[in-house]
Amino acid sequence: MKIYTGRGDEGMTDLRDMSRVSKTSARIEAYGTVDEANALIGTARPTGYDDVDGTLASIQNQLHIVQADFANPDPDEDDPEVTAAHVESLEDAIDEAEAELDPLESFILPGGSDAGATLHHARAVARRAERRAVALAADEPVNEEAIRYLNRLSDGLFVLARLVNARDEVPEESPTY
């Protein structure tokens, strides 16, 4: 596969159904921001914890499904799509990680170990991806499960950041007001 085509030189790109849209369209913004979150998650791996790395690998693969879902304005029955099962798998991972953590008693400052801080950064980008997806859904049909997935993703990345920091014995810091 050739990596460059020149088809985007005029500021347009192809969606999955081969329709052409501006690279500034809400649809491109939504799946492009998901791609950004996915790339950040990739920089956190390996964390040094096989179970966390396995969860992150699963999330990265599921984010490709989110992107495919957003890139397809008129999906066919056999096209990739986010389902309730994807959301549930993420919720299960959150519950498992939270079981190992002390309960959260206040807001915390994002940061910590390299992996923990990167996961906090990815969480913030996942929140932006969710906002972009909600904006897209205001104007065009969007799979609501994909938006639910992004909402859970930011929660999941927050909990995984806390988990990595706890295992690395990096204390959480609360903001001062």
Side-chain angles (χ1 to χ4, degrees):
M1 171 168 76
K2 194 172 184 176
I3 202 69
Y4 65 90
T5 64
R7 288 183 48 81
D9 291 351
E10 301 297 320
M12 301 291 283
T13 192
D14 296 322
L15 294 176
R16 189 170 163 87
D17 67 357
M18 298 310 291
S19 60
R20 304 276 293 160
V21 297
S22 170
K23 290 183 177 185
T24 63
S25 79
R27 190 169 292 280
I28 302 304
E29 278 294 324
Y31 76 71
T33 308
V34 171
D35 185 36
E36 186 181 349
N38 201 348
L40 267 172
I41 292 167
T43 66
R45 290 178 50 213
T47 62
Y49 304 102
D50 290 342
D51 59 333
V52 174
D53 291 342
T55 298
L56 293 174
S58 176
I59 288 168
Q60 286 191 283
N61 280 290
Q62 291 172 355
L63 286 176
H64 272 276
I65 299 169
V66 174
Q67 287 179 260
D69 209 327
F70 288 163
N72 198 347
D74 189 24
D76 289 330
E77 191 174 293
D78 59 341
D79 285 330
E81 72 174 345
V82 179
T83 66
H86 293 110
V87 175
E88 290 166 13
S89 73
L90 194 47
E91 289 172 344
D92 291 344
I94 293 168
D95 292 343
E96 187 175 317
E98 276 193 310
E100 189 176 326
L101 294 168
D102 291 334
L104 191 62
E105 295 181 7
S106 68
F107 288 108
I108 61 170
L109 297 173
S113 66
D114 287 344
T118 301
L119 290 171
H120 275 297
H121 186 181
R123 171 200 47 82
V125 174
R127 285 276 189 226
R128 180 162 30 94
E130 180 187 10
R131 291 190 304 271
R132 298 291 190 266
V134 168
L136 172 62
D139 295 326
E140 299 183 46
V142 172
N143 178 358
E144 292 297 321
E145 292 298 332
I147 294 173
R148 285 184 61 224
Y149 185 88
L150 291 175
N151 182 268
R152 294 307 182 285
L153 175 63
S154 56
D155 296 335
L157 293 172
F158 176 78
V159 171
L160 290 172
R162 289 189 68 218
L163 180 62
V164 168
N165 283 336
R167 288 180 180 177
D168 287 346
E169 298 181 0
V170 176
E172 295 178 335
E173 297 178 48
S174 296
T176 56
Y177 298 97

